[in-house]
PDB file of all heavy atoms in Angstrom:
ATOM      1  N   GLY A1099      55.512 -31.980 -28.491  1.00 88.00           N
ATOM      2  CA  GLY A1099      54.725 -31.993 -29.740  1.00 88.00           C
ATOM      3  C   GLY A1099      53.308 -31.550 -29.673  1.00 88.00           C
ATOM      4  O   GLY A1099      52.562 -31.925 -30.557  1.00 88.00           O
ATOM      5  N   GLN A1100      52.952 -30.856 -28.622  1.00 92.00           N
ATOM      6  CA  GLN A1100      51.585 -30.411 -28.497  1.00 92.00           C
ATOM      7  C   GLN A1100      51.310 -29.288 -29.405  1.00 92.00           C
ATOM      8  O   GLN A1100      52.120 -28.440 -29.724  1.00 92.00           O
ATOM      9  CB  GLN A1100      51.368 -29.953 -27.039  1.00 92.00           C
ATOM     10  CG  GLN A1100      51.549 -31.068 -25.979  1.00 92.00           C
ATOM     11  CD  GLN A1100      50.659 -32.243 -26.160  1.00 92.00           C
ATOM     12  OE1 GLN A1100      49.451 -32.047 -26.560  1.00 92.00           O
ATOM     13  NE2 GLN A1100      51.095 -33.394 -25.842  1.00 92.00           N
ATOM     14  N   LEU A1101      50.076 -29.278 -29.851  1.00 93.00           N
ATOM     15  CA  LEU A1101      49.545 -28.183 -30.781  1.00 93.00           C
ATOM     16  C   LEU A1101      49.308 -26.898 -29.920  1.00 93.00           C
ATOM     17  O   LEU A1101      49.121 -26.960 -28.634  1.00 93.00           O
ATOM     18  CB  LEU A1101      48.220 -28.666 -31.425  1.00 93.00           C
ATOM     19  CG  LEU A1101      48.289 -29.844 -32.357  1.00 93.00           C
ATOM     20  CD1 LEU A1101      46.956 -30.219 -32.828  1.00 93.00           C
ATOM     21  CD2 LEU A1101      49.213 -29.531 -33.465  1.00 93.00           C
ATOM     22  N   ASP A1102      49.260 -25.822 -30.614  1.00 94.00           N
ATOM     23  CA  ASP A1102      48.990 -24.518 -29.926  1.00 94.00           C
ATOM     24  C   ASP A1102      47.767 -24.561 -29.120  1.00 94.00           C
ATOM     25  O   ASP A1102      47.674 -24.009 -27.984  1.00 94.00           O
ATOM     26  CB  ASP A1102      48.928 -23.389 -30.927  1.00 94.00           C
ATOM     27  CG  ASP A1102      50.223 -23.155 -31.697  1.00 94.00           C
ATOM     28  OD1 ASP A1102      51.226 -23.734 -31.272  1.00 94.00           O
ATOM     29  OD2 ASP A1102      50.246 -22.315 -32.617  1.00 94.00           O
ATOM     30  N   GLU A1103      46.717 -25.110 -29.619  1.00 95.00           N
ATOM     31  CA  GLU A1103      45.353 -25.195 -28.930  1.00 95.00           C
ATOM     32  C   GLU A1103      45.450 -25.996 -27.637  1.00 95.00           C
ATOM     33  O   GLU A1103      44.943 -25.649 -26.614  1.00 95.00           O
ATOM     34  CB  GLU A1103      44.321 -25.819 -29.872  1.00 95.00           C
ATOM     35  CG  GLU A1103      43.919 -24.982 -31.051  1.00 95.00           C
ATOM     36  CD  GLU A1103      44.965 -25.026 -32.206  1.00 95.00           C
ATOM     37  OE1 GLU A1103      45.950 -25.885 -32.193  1.00 95.00           O
ATOM     38  OE2 GLU A1103      44.865 -24.116 -33.082  1.00 95.00           O
ATOM     39  N   VAL A1104      46.233 -27.104 -27.668  1.00 95.00           N
ATOM     40  CA  VAL A1104      46.401 -27.939 -26.462  1.00 95.00           C
ATOM     41  C   VAL A1104      47.262 -27.178 -25.446  1.00 95.00           C
ATOM     42  O   VAL A1104      46.899 -27.088 -24.240  1.00 95.00           O
ATOM     43  CB  VAL A1104      47.036 -29.272 -26.815  1.00 95.00           C
ATOM     44  CG1 VAL A1104      47.423 -30.066 -25.580  1.00 95.00           C
ATOM     45  CG2 VAL A1104      46.207 -30.065 -27.789  1.00 95.00           C
ATOM     46  N   ILE A1105      48.313 -26.504 -25.895  1.00 95.00           N
ATOM     47  CA  ILE A1105      49.123 -25.684 -24.963  1.00 95.00           C
ATOM     48  C   ILE A1105      48.238 -24.604 -24.356  1.00 95.00           C
ATOM     49  O   ILE A1105      48.353 -24.330 -23.123  1.00 95.00           O
ATOM     50  CB  ILE A1105      50.333 -25.078 -25.699  1.00 95.00           C
ATOM     51  CG1 ILE A1105      51.290 -26.209 -26.270  1.00 95.00           C
ATOM     52  CG2 ILE A1105      51.105 -24.106 -24.783  1.00 95.00           C
ATOM     53  CD1 ILE A1105      52.406 -25.782 -27.159  1.00 95.00           C
ATOM     54  N   SER A1106      47.460 -23.936 -25.201  1.00 95.00           N
ATOM     55  CA  SER A1106      46.616 -22.867 -24.668  1.00 95.00           C
ATOM     56  C   SER A1106      45.676 -23.363 -23.563  1.00 95.00           C
ATOM     57  O   SER A1106      45.540 -22.659 -22.547  1.00 95.00           O
ATOM     58  CB  SER A1106      45.744 -22.301 -25.814  1.00 95.00           C
ATOM     59  OG  SER A1106      46.561 -21.718 -26.762  1.00 95.00           O
ATOM     60  N   ARG A1107      44.993 -24.524 -23.770  1.00 95.00           N
ATOM     61  CA  ARG A1107      44.107 -25.080 -22.782  1.00 95.00           C
ATOM     62  C   ARG A1107      44.940 -25.399 -21.516  1.00 95.00           C
ATOM     63  O   ARG A1107      44.411 -25.130 -20.414  1.00 95.00           O
ATOM     64  CB  ARG A1107      43.473 -26.332 -23.248  1.00 95.00           C
ATOM     65  CG  ARG A1107      42.250 -26.012 -24.183  1.00 95.00           C
ATOM     66  CD  ARG A1107      41.331 -27.203 -24.399  1.00 95.00           C
ATOM     67  NE  ARG A1107      42.061 -28.356 -24.891  1.00 95.00           N
ATOM     68  CZ  ARG A1107      42.244 -28.612 -26.219  1.00 95.00           C
ATOM     69  NH1 ARG A1107      41.734 -27.830 -27.085  1.00 95.00           N
ATOM     70  NH2 ARG A1107      42.858 -29.690 -26.590  1.00 95.00           N
ATOM     71  N   HIS A1108      46.074 -25.899 -21.684  1.00 95.00           N
ATOM     72  CA  HIS A1108      46.906 -26.361 -20.488  1.00 95.00           C
ATOM     73  C   HIS A1108      47.287 -25.137 -19.678  1.00 95.00           C
ATOM     74  O   HIS A1108      47.299 -25.220 -18.443  1.00 95.00           O
ATOM     75  CB  HIS A1108      48.171 -27.132 -20.974  1.00 95.00           C
ATOM     76  CG  HIS A1108      48.919 -27.735 -19.809  1.00 95.00           C
ATOM     77  ND1 HIS A1108      49.868 -27.037 -19.169  1.00 95.00           N
ATOM     78  CD2 HIS A1108      48.833 -28.965 -19.258  1.00 95.00           C
ATOM     79  CE1 HIS A1108      50.347 -27.869 -18.216  1.00 95.00           C
ATOM     80  NE2 HIS A1108      49.751 -28.951 -18.301  1.00 95.00           N
ATOM     81  N   ILE A1109      47.715 -24.023 -20.284  1.00 94.00           N
ATOM     82  CA  ILE A1109      48.194 -22.879 -19.542  1.00 94.00           C
ATOM     83  C   ILE A1109      47.098 -21.872 -19.274  1.00 94.00           C
ATOM     84  O   ILE A1109      47.287 -20.934 -18.462  1.00 94.00           O
ATOM     85  CB  ILE A1109      49.343 -22.196 -20.222  1.00 94.00           C
ATOM     86  CG1 ILE A1109      48.955 -21.600 -21.572  1.00 94.00           C
ATOM     87  CG2 ILE A1109      50.554 -23.082 -20.356  1.00 94.00           C
ATOM     88  CD1 ILE A1109      50.077 -20.839 -22.313  1.00 94.00           C
ATOM     89  N   GLY A1110      45.905 -22.073 -19.819  1.00 95.00           N
ATOM     90  CA  GLY A1110      44.745 -21.233 -19.502  1.00 95.00           C
ATOM     91  C   GLY A1110      44.798 -19.859 -20.172  1.00 95.00           C
ATOM     92  O   GLY A1110      44.222 -18.921 -19.635  1.00 95.00           O
ATOM     93  N   LEU A1111      45.396 -19.822 -21.326  1.00 94.00           N
ATOM     94  CA  LEU A1111      45.399 -18.562 -22.162  1.00 94.00           C
ATOM     95  C   LEU A1111      44.819 -18.811 -23.513  1.00 94.00           C
ATOM     96  O   LEU A1111      44.630 -19.949 -23.940  1.00 94.00           O
ATOM     97  CB  LEU A1111      46.884 -17.995 -22.242  1.00 94.00           C
ATOM     98  CG  LEU A1111      47.552 -17.633 -20.963  1.00 94.00           C
ATOM     99  CD1 LEU A1111      49.060 -17.285 -21.166  1.00 94.00           C
ATOM    100  CD2 LEU A1111      46.896 -16.485 -20.269  1.00 94.00           C
ATOM    101  N   SER A1112      44.571 -17.676 -24.216  1.00 95.00           N
ATOM    102  CA  SER A1112      44.047 -17.795 -25.519  1.00 95.00           C
ATOM    103  C   SER A1112      45.051 -18.338 -26.501  1.00 95.00           C
ATOM    104  O   SER A1112      46.215 -18.248 -26.249  1.00 95.00           O
ATOM    105  CB  SER A1112      43.533 -16.466 -26.044  1.00 95.00           C
ATOM    106  OG  SER A1112      44.644 -15.586 -26.278  1.00 95.00           O
ATOM    107  N   VAL A1113      44.557 -18.901 -27.608  1.00 95.00           N
ATOM    108  CA  VAL A1113      45.475 -19.431 -28.635  1.00 95.00           C
ATOM    109  C   VAL A1113      46.322 -18.307 -29.140  1.00 95.00           C
ATOM    110  O   VAL A1113      47.563 -18.467 -29.358  1.00 95.00           O
ATOM    111  CB  VAL A1113      44.713 -20.099 -29.803  1.00 95.00           C
ATOM    112  CG1 VAL A1113      45.706 -20.536 -30.906  1.00 95.00           C
ATOM    113  CG2 VAL A1113      43.944 -21.338 -29.279  1.00 95.00           C
ATOM    114  N   ARG A1114      45.727 -17.102 -29.354  1.00 95.00           N
ATOM    115  CA  ARG A1114      46.561 -16.014 -29.879  1.00 95.00           C
ATOM    116  C   ARG A1114      47.644 -15.590 -28.924  1.00 95.00           C
ATOM    117  O   ARG A1114      48.787 -15.335 -29.380  1.00 95.00           O
ATOM    118  CB  ARG A1114      45.585 -14.778 -30.112  1.00 95.00           C
ATOM    119  CG  ARG A1114      46.276 -13.631 -30.668  1.00 95.00           C
ATOM    120  CD  ARG A1114      45.265 -12.552 -30.959  1.00 95.00           C
ATOM    121  NE  ARG A1114      45.959 -11.359 -31.495  1.00 95.00           N
ATOM    122  CZ  ARG A1114      45.423 -10.391 -32.192  1.00 95.00           C
ATOM    123  NH1 ARG A1114      44.036 -10.429 -32.391  1.00 95.00           N
ATOM    124  NH2 ARG A1114      46.092  -9.412 -32.598  1.00 95.00           N
ATOM    125  N   THR A1115      47.419 -15.504 -27.621  1.00 95.00           N
ATOM    126  CA  THR A1115      48.449 -15.219 -26.639  1.00 95.00           C
ATOM    127  C   THR A1115      49.518 -16.321 -26.639  1.00 95.00           C
ATOM    128  O   THR A1115      50.736 -15.999 -26.593  1.00 95.00           O
ATOM    129  CB  THR A1115      47.852 -15.099 -25.311  1.00 95.00           C
ATOM    130  OG1 THR A1115      46.872 -14.000 -25.367  1.00 95.00           O
ATOM    131  CG2 THR A1115      48.892 -14.692 -24.243  1.00 95.00           C
ATOM    132  N   THR A1116      49.080 -17.557 -26.715  1.00 95.00           N
ATOM    133  CA  THR A1116      50.055 -18.632 -26.768  1.00 95.00           C
ATOM    134  C   THR A1116      50.936 -18.598 -27.976  1.00 95.00           C
ATOM    135  O   THR A1116      52.203 -18.743 -27.858  1.00 95.00           O
ATOM    136  CB  THR A1116      49.278 -20.028 -26.746  1.00 95.00           C
ATOM    137  OG1 THR A1116      48.481 -20.061 -25.546  1.00 95.00           O
ATOM    138  CG2 THR A1116      50.264 -21.196 -26.806  1.00 95.00           C
ATOM    139  N   ARG A1117      50.401 -18.264 -29.096  1.00 95.00           N
ATOM    140  CA  ARG A1117      51.164 -18.103 -30.371  1.00 95.00           C
ATOM    141  C   ARG A1117      52.161 -16.938 -30.225  1.00 95.00           C
ATOM    142  O   ARG A1117      53.246 -17.039 -30.691  1.00 95.00           O
ATOM    143  CB  ARG A1117      50.285 -17.947 -31.560  1.00 95.00           C
ATOM    144  CG  ARG A1117      49.577 -19.234 -31.955  1.00 95.00           C
ATOM    145  CD  ARG A1117      48.746 -19.149 -33.109  1.00 95.00           C
ATOM    146  NE  ARG A1117      48.181 -20.476 -33.430  1.00 95.00           N
ATOM    147  CZ  ARG A1117      46.990 -20.655 -33.962  1.00 95.00           C
ATOM    148  NH1 ARG A1117      46.252 -19.622 -34.316  1.00 95.00           N
ATOM    149  NH2 ARG A1117      46.556 -21.868 -34.149  1.00 95.00           N
ATOM    150  N   ARG A1118      51.715 -15.885 -29.528  1.00 95.00           N
ATOM    151  CA  ARG A1118      52.669 -14.765 -29.286  1.00 95.00           C
ATOM    152  C   ARG A1118      53.785 -15.210 -28.431  1.00 95.00           C
ATOM    153  O   ARG A1118      55.013 -14.818 -28.749  1.00 95.00           O
ATOM    154  CB  ARG A1118      51.918 -13.589 -28.681  1.00 95.00           C
ATOM    155  CG  ARG A1118      52.714 -12.396 -28.518  1.00 95.00           C
ATOM    156  CD  ARG A1118      52.077 -11.225 -27.836  1.00 95.00           C
ATOM    157  NE  ARG A1118      51.491 -11.650 -26.516  1.00 95.00           N
ATOM    158  CZ  ARG A1118      52.203 -11.814 -25.358  1.00 95.00           C
ATOM    159  NH1 ARG A1118      53.516 -11.705 -25.342  1.00 95.00           N
ATOM    160  NH2 ARG A1118      51.599 -12.148 -24.286  1.00 95.00           N
ATOM    161  N   ILE A1119      53.541 -15.967 -27.397  1.00 95.00           N
ATOM    162  CA  ILE A1119      54.607 -16.451 -26.475  1.00 95.00           C
ATOM    163  C   ILE A1119      55.529 -17.368 -27.319  1.00 95.00           C
ATOM    164  O   ILE A1119      56.750 -17.247 -27.225  1.00 95.00           O
ATOM    165  CB  ILE A1119      54.020 -17.229 -25.310  1.00 95.00           C
ATOM    166  CG1 ILE A1119      53.234 -16.257 -24.410  1.00 95.00           C
ATOM    167  CG2 ILE A1119      55.089 -17.917 -24.523  1.00 95.00           C
ATOM    168  CD1 ILE A1119      52.401 -16.881 -23.337  1.00 95.00           C
ATOM    169  N   ILE A1120      55.046 -18.264 -28.124  1.00 95.00           N
ATOM    170  CA  ILE A1120      55.839 -19.149 -28.953  1.00 95.00           C
ATOM    171  C   ILE A1120      56.676 -18.370 -29.936  1.00 95.00           C
ATOM    172  O   ILE A1120      57.852 -18.636 -30.125  1.00 95.00           O
ATOM    173  CB  ILE A1120      54.894 -20.202 -29.688  1.00 95.00           C
ATOM    174  CG1 ILE A1120      54.296 -21.129 -28.687  1.00 95.00           C
ATOM    175  CG2 ILE A1120      55.707 -20.928 -30.725  1.00 95.00           C
ATOM    176  CD1 ILE A1120      53.200 -22.043 -29.173  1.00 95.00           C
ATOM    177  N   SER A1121      56.089 -17.374 -30.532  1.00 94.00           N
ATOM    178  CA  SER A1121      56.790 -16.505 -31.495  1.00 94.00           C
ATOM    179  C   SER A1121      57.922 -15.769 -30.789  1.00 94.00           C
ATOM    180  O   SER A1121      59.056 -15.701 -31.352  1.00 94.00           O
ATOM    181  CB  SER A1121      55.818 -15.471 -32.134  1.00 94.00           C
ATOM    182  OG  SER A1121      56.507 -14.649 -32.993  1.00 94.00           O
ATOM    183  N   ASP A1122      57.691 -15.262 -29.580  1.00 94.00           N
ATOM    184  CA  ASP A1122      58.717 -14.584 -28.835  1.00 94.00           C
ATOM    185  C   ASP A1122      59.853 -15.547 -28.495  1.00 94.00           C
ATOM    186  O   ASP A1122      61.032 -15.186 -28.664  1.00 94.00           O
ATOM    187  CB  ASP A1122      58.084 -13.907 -27.576  1.00 94.00           C
ATOM    188  CG  ASP A1122      59.080 -13.285 -26.743  1.00 94.00           C
ATOM    189  OD1 ASP A1122      59.784 -12.279 -27.212  1.00 94.00           O
ATOM    190  OD2 ASP A1122      59.339 -13.634 -25.554  1.00 94.00           O
ATOM    191  N   LEU A1123      59.513 -16.713 -28.021  1.00 93.00           N
ATOM    192  CA  LEU A1123      60.566 -17.674 -27.649  1.00 93.00           C
ATOM    193  C   LEU A1123      61.375 -18.102 -28.896  1.00 93.00           C
ATOM    194  O   LEU A1123      62.606 -18.206 -28.799  1.00 93.00           O
ATOM    195  CB  LEU A1123      59.888 -18.902 -27.028  1.00 93.00           C
ATOM    196  CG  LEU A1123      59.358 -18.744 -25.558  1.00 93.00           C
ATOM    197  CD1 LEU A1123      58.484 -19.898 -25.183  1.00 93.00           C
ATOM    198  CD2 LEU A1123      60.499 -18.536 -24.577  1.00 93.00           C
ATOM    199  N   THR A1124      60.662 -18.302 -30.016  1.00 92.00           N
ATOM    200  CA  THR A1124      61.352 -18.699 -31.232  1.00 92.00           C
ATOM    201  C   THR A1124      62.325 -17.559 -31.626  1.00 92.00           C
ATOM    202  O   THR A1124      63.455 -17.894 -32.025  1.00 92.00           O
ATOM    203  CB  THR A1124      60.303 -18.997 -32.350  1.00 92.00           C
ATOM    204  OG1 THR A1124      59.465 -20.023 -31.870  1.00 92.00           O
ATOM    205  CG2 THR A1124      60.971 -19.442 -33.610  1.00 92.00           C
ATOM    206  N   GLY A1125      61.833 -16.350 -31.536  1.00 92.00           N
ATOM    207  CA  GLY A1125      62.725 -15.234 -31.911  1.00 92.00           C
ATOM    208  C   GLY A1125      63.929 -15.060 -30.994  1.00 92.00           C
ATOM    209  O   GLY A1125      65.038 -14.852 -31.401  1.00 92.00           O
ATOM    210  N   ARG A1126      63.758 -15.300 -29.681  1.00 91.00           N
ATOM    211  CA  ARG A1126      64.822 -15.192 -28.727  1.00 91.00           C
ATOM    212  C   ARG A1126      65.870 -16.267 -28.985  1.00 91.00           C
ATOM    213  O   ARG A1126      67.088 -16.138 -28.719  1.00 91.00           O
ATOM    214  CB  ARG A1126      64.275 -15.244 -27.285  1.00 91.00           C
ATOM    215  CG  ARG A1126      63.633 -14.020 -26.870  1.00 91.00           C
ATOM    216  CD  ARG A1126      62.856 -14.071 -25.631  1.00 91.00           C
ATOM    217  NE  ARG A1126      63.532 -14.638 -24.481  1.00 91.00           N
ATOM    218  CZ  ARG A1126      62.896 -14.986 -23.335  1.00 91.00           C
ATOM    219  NH1 ARG A1126      61.619 -14.764 -23.240  1.00 91.00           N
ATOM    220  NH2 ARG A1126      63.573 -15.400 -22.292  1.00 91.00           N
ATOM    221  N   LEU A1127      65.367 -17.415 -29.460  1.00 90.00           N
ATOM    222  CA  LEU A1127      66.277 -18.560 -29.754  1.00 90.00           C
ATOM    223  C   LEU A1127      66.864 -18.446 -31.140  1.00 90.00           C
ATOM    224  O   LEU A1127      67.819 -19.204 -31.451  1.00 90.00           O
ATOM    225  CB  LEU A1127      65.484 -19.875 -29.614  1.00 90.00           C
ATOM    226  CG  LEU A1127      65.120 -20.318 -28.217  1.00 90.00           C
ATOM    227  CD1 LEU A1127      64.013 -21.351 -28.264  1.00 90.00           C
ATOM    228  CD2 LEU A1127      66.326 -20.772 -27.474  1.00 90.00           C
ATOM    229  N   GLY A1128      66.469 -17.470 -31.917  1.00 90.00           N
ATOM    230  CA  GLY A1128      66.999 -17.291 -33.268  1.00 90.00           C
ATOM    231  C   GLY A1128      66.605 -18.373 -34.167  1.00 90.00           C
ATOM    232  O   GLY A1128      67.430 -18.780 -35.036  1.00 90.00           O
ATOM    233  N   ALA A1129      65.413 -18.935 -33.953  1.00 91.00           N
ATOM    234  CA  ALA A1129      65.056 -20.096 -34.725  1.00 91.00           C
ATOM    235  C   ALA A1129      64.040 -19.752 -35.864  1.00 91.00           C
ATOM    236  O   ALA A1129      63.316 -18.727 -35.728  1.00 91.00           O
ATOM    237  CB  ALA A1129      64.375 -21.124 -33.775  1.00 91.00           C
TER     238      ALA A1129
END
């Protein structure tokens, strides 16, 4: 349930990059 900003800080990437990763994963899952 973490927000994009929290995930970004945890993995050390920008929020924009994190959102791109989330979007890619969501697409691969067909969600």
